[in-house]
Amino acid sequence: DIQMTQSPSSLSASVGDRVTITCRASQNIRTYLNWYQQKPGTAPQVLIYAASTLQIGVPSRFSGSGSGTDFTLTISSLQPEDFATYYCQQSYNNPTFGGGTKVDIK
Amino acid sequence: QLQLQESGPGLVKPSETLSLTCTVSGGSISDSFYYWGWIRQPPGQRLDWIGSISYRGNTDLKPSLKSRVSMSVDTSKNQVSLNLSSVTAADTAVYYCVRHLNSLAWFDLWGQGTLVTVSS
């Protein structure tokens, strides 16, 4: 299996902050990297696919970058509804997910 | 609007078989563009892809679970089914039904999930 490692595992931030989450793959996955947001008690929802393409309906404050083994999810100005857990997922081979990054209120 | 709904027992005994059904509403499961899959999330743990199936019945299963997993499609009922045999407490999780475009694609539609507890 391709191992996905996210950092940090949690962070505290304030509304308006710029937030960056990183995801590293154990091997080259080109740009087959997707990001999801999950709020407590609900299913994950895709934010970004193919490393940098914003899913329809997702606010433009979310952006993704990277290729190969290193990827980044950035929230340019954190909003109250963005406090959630974020997961990366590789779709290069037998999908696997990162351990998640919980974003909570400072 | 297409929706996915999981159903099945919430409690399964150790060594027995976990059986879940995903009902697709608002569209046809026979849409050849899509695969239908299962993902689980044990309490406090990361998401774990179990496998996926096309409407033709072609499956793609997680290698470490392949010996215990079977999936099927019933196009007449617009349903996808999951069977996981010889369960243990480690199989306790929220199980999600998902849709994706192909084996290299993201999961763009999720069911609400159903909690399955393995306990005697």
Side-chain angles (χ1 to χ4, degrees):
Chain A
D1 287 357
I2 298 174
Q3 307 302 316
M4 305 301 294
T5 303
Q6 278 182 246
S7 61
S9 57
S10 65
L11 66 89
S12 296
S14 301
V15 172
D17 283 353
R18 182 181 181 87
V19 170
T20 299
I21 298 169
T22 63
C23 179
R24 174 164 289 177
S26 60
Q27 66 183 70
N28 185 352
I29 58 170
R30 296 163 61 182
T31 57
Y32 292 103
L33 190 283
N34 313 303
W35 290 98
Y36 299 83
Q37 177 192 68
Q38 185 177 32
K39 296 181 179 179
T42 69
Q45 295 185 65
V46 63
L47 298 173
I48 289 168
Y49 60 89
S52 61
T53 303
L54 207 60
Q55 173 74 341
I56 294 172
V58 174
S60 59
R61 62 181 179 273
F62 291 92
S63 63
S65 64
S67 67
T69 60
D70 293 312
F71 302 86
T72 299
L73 172 70
T74 300
I75 309 172
S76 61
S77 177
L78 198 65
Q79 298 302 301
E81 61 267 30
D82 301 337
F83 292 99
T85 299
Y86 294 85
Y87 293 94
C88 62
Q89 174 245 328
Q90 63 81 16
S91 50
Y92 182 77
N93 181 33
N94 292 331
T96 50
F97 291 82
T101 297
K102 184 176 181 180
V103 178
D104 62 21
I105 302 172
K106 182 183 276 185
Chain B
Q1 180 180 347
L2 200 74
Q3 291 186 319
L4 310 179
Q5 179 67 59
E6 305 89 349
S7 59
L11 181 64
V12 181
K13 289 183 167 56
S15 80
E16 295 190 345
T17 296
L18 179 160
S19 296
L20 295 175
T21 298
C22 173
T23 301
V24 179
S25 59
S28 173
I29 204 167
S30 299
D31 185 340
S32 59
F33 290 113
Y34 291 105
Y35 278 68
W36 309 90
W38 292 92
I39 290 171
R40 65 182 180 178
Q41 187 171 33
Q45 296 185 40
R46 72 181 64 196
L47 297 152
D48 180 31
W49 172 75
I50 299 169
S52 300
I53 188 168
S54 72
Y55 84 100
R56 295 176 184 268
N58 300 315
T59 57
D60 192 11
L61 304 176
K62 181 174 181 174
S64 61
L65 293 175
K66 193 175 287 190
S67 63
R68 296 198 292 133
V69 171
S70 65
M71 292 185 183
S72 61
V73 171
D74 186 334
T75 54
S76 66
K77 294 182 180 179
N78 236 24
Q79 291 179 335
V80 177
S81 295
L82 167 71
N83 287 319
L84 178 65
S85 64
S86 304
V87 297
T88 70
D91 296 308
T92 294
V94 175
Y95 285 74
Y96 294 101
C97 177
V98 295
R99 183 186 77 170
H100 57 114
L101 193 57
N102 55 51
S103 62
L104 297 175
W106 54 100
F107 303 108
D108 69 338
L109 189 64
W110 297 63
Q112 67 183 29
T114 187
L115 174 63
V116 179
T117 301
V118 178
S119 175
S120 56

